[in-house]
Amino acid sequence: MRVQSLTLAVASAALLAPTTYPAARIHPAVWREGAVSAADLLAKVRECAPVSRGRYRSDNGAPANIPVCGTRDAVFWKADMDIDCDGSPGPRCNSRTDPYFAASTAYAQSDGRPLSAERLPFIVVPAPSSLWDYRDHGIGGGSVVAVVYRDRVQYAVVGDTGPQGIIGEASYATAEGLGIRADPHGGGAPSGVTYIVFKNTKVSPIEDHAAAVTEGERLARRFADGG
C-alpha cells in the first residue's frame, strides 16, 4: 500500500529514472474483458448516494473530497489510481522497484501466500474506520470489482487494504490491464478512475482471475441493466 504526499510523489518522479522492465508482459493490457462497455457502467454511477460518513483523500495532503457512494447492489467511488506493488515479489514488484514495497497483502492466495500485484488485478480498499467500513456492505477479500478508466473496463477483486483516510489504489496488473502506466515510481492515473465493488460476491480462489472476469461480466450486465 502506498502512503505518500503529493510533494513526495512529484519529487520522486523527478529524481528517480523510470525502471526498465523486461520486454515480456505478465498481464496483457485489456481494453474490455466482456460485452459491458465503460459507458454502460458509467451511466449507472452518475449520481452519488453517499454511504461513507465523510470523504476520503486521494493522497496525503490532497483535499478530502471523495465520497463512497452506494446502490442496492454495489458501492463505488471516483478517484485517482496509485500503484500497489505489494505482495509476493516478482521482477516488477519488489523492494528495488518500489521503495514502499511490503511483502504482504491483507488477503492471501489459496496456498497462503500473499497476492501478486504484478500478476493479479486487485484493488485496495481503505482500512475500516469511523469514516467507512467496507465490511458493513457485504465486501471483503475476493469481492468482485469493475474498474473503469476512459473507455476501458478491467475486472478485479478486493485484495488489499490501505490507509484509513485515503482511497484510489490498485495493483500493478490492474493498471496495466487498463493501459495506465504501472510503474510504482510516479505511475498511475491522477483522476478519472471509477471503482465499482459488487456487494455479497466472492471469487474463490481469490487468485482465479478468469473466474473474476466471468462473474464480473455477469454482475456488470445486471448492474447496467438496472438490477
Side-chain angles (χ1 to χ4, degrees):
M1 62 201 74
R2 297 176 64 80
V3 185
Q4 61 175 318
S5 67
L6 296 175
T7 301
L8 179 58
V10 171
S12 297
L15 294 174
L16 297 173
T19 303
T20 300
Y21 296 126
R25 298 175 70 84
I26 286 180
H27 187 81
V30 177
W31 286 88
R32 193 171 76 219
E33 292 187 303
V36 183
S37 71
D40 291 336
L41 292 172
L42 293 177
K44 306 301 293 187
V45 296
R46 289 175 181 159
E47 303 295 328
C48 175
V51 295
S52 56
R53 297 179 180 88
R55 301 189 173 210
Y56 286 91
R57 304 177 190 276
S58 59
D59 296 285
N60 283 333
N65 58 6
I66 305 170
V68 177
C69 312
T71 72
R72 182 185 65 184
D73 298 316
V75 300
F76 66 90
W77 55 91
K78 301 176 182 181
D80 65 340
M81 181 182 286
D82 292 326
I83 306 302
D84 185 355
C85 246
D86 294 344
S88 295
R92 293 158 174 79
C93 290
N94 55 65
S95 59
R96 296 184 304 279
T97 62
D98 183 3
Y100 303 97
F101 178 77
S104 63
T105 49
Y107 298 99
Q109 296 182 162
S110 55
D111 61 4
R113 293 187 298 174
L115 303 180
S116 170
E118 64 182 55
R119 292 183 178 276
L120 181 68
F122 66 79
I123 72 161
V124 179
V125 293
S129 71
S130 59
L131 185 59
W132 182 59
D133 188 337
Y134 63 89
R135 300 170 300 183
D136 293 339
H137 299 267
I139 294 167
S143 290
V144 180
V145 186
V147 188
V148 184
Y149 179 67
R150 297 179 177 171
D151 60 349
R152 309 176 190 185
V153 179
Q154 170 75 71
Y155 294 109
V157 293
V158 171
D160 203 359
T161 59
Q164 291 183 334
I166 296 175
I167 204 166
E169 185 175 3
S171 68
Y172 182 107
T174 306
E176 190 176 45
L178 289 166
I180 294 172
R181 185 178 174 223
D183 185 354
H185 286 315
S191 62
V193 183
T194 300
Y195 304 79
I196 304 170
V197 187
F198 298 104
K199 298 177 181 179
N200 302 310
T201 61
K202 185 173 184 177
V203 172
S204 184
I206 192 173
E207 67 268 21
D208 187 347
H209 179 58
V213 173
T214 298
E215 184 66 359
E217 174 66 16
R218 183 185 70 82
L219 294 163
R221 182 74 276 161
R222 186 177 71 179
F223 186 70
D225 290 342

